[in-house]
């Protein structure tokens, strides 16, 4: 089971701080520079950001536009 610790800001413009928990501690996951961008079924822009831990595990986070 993967254990991710995600600290999401109340400001929707900010990225979350993501850590990956391991048996001997936690490592901060680094955000990749470019998201994949799609449109959802309502036509809103969705950015999918990937965070990578040094161990190779990946975490994805979606940010949707307001309108």
């Amino acid at each position: 089971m993967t254990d991710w610790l995600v600290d999401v800001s109340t400001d929707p413009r900010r990225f979350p701080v993501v850590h990956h928990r391991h048996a001997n501690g936690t490592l901060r996951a680094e955000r990749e520079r470019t998201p994949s961008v799609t449109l959802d079924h309502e036509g809103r822009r969705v950015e999918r950001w990937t965070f990578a831990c040094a161990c190779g595990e990946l975490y994805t986070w979606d940010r949707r536009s307001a309108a």
Side-chain angles (χ1 to χ4, degrees):
M1 180 174 140
T2 303
D3 199 7
W4 293 97
L5 304 170
V6 182
D7 181 18
V8 178
S9 172
T10 57
D11 184 351
R13 296 170 295 178
R14 294 191 48 152
F15 290 99
V17 176
V18 179
H19 289 85
H20 188 216
R21 186 178 302 188
H22 295 270
N24 58 349
T26 60
L27 296 172
R28 184 169 179 160
E30 297 297 324
R31 179 175 46 92
E32 293 185 354
R33 292 179 179 246
T34 307
S36 62
V37 179
T38 59
L39 296 177
D40 66 7
H41 64 280
E42 297 174 357
R44 294 182 301 178
R45 177 185 166 105
V46 178
E47 296 175 353
R48 175 160 286 170
W49 293 88
T50 302
F51 292 79
C53 180
C55 73
E57 292 286 328
L58 300 175
Y59 175 83
T60 57
W61 175 72
D62 292 348
R63 177 164 58 181
R64 289 177 164 71
S65 64

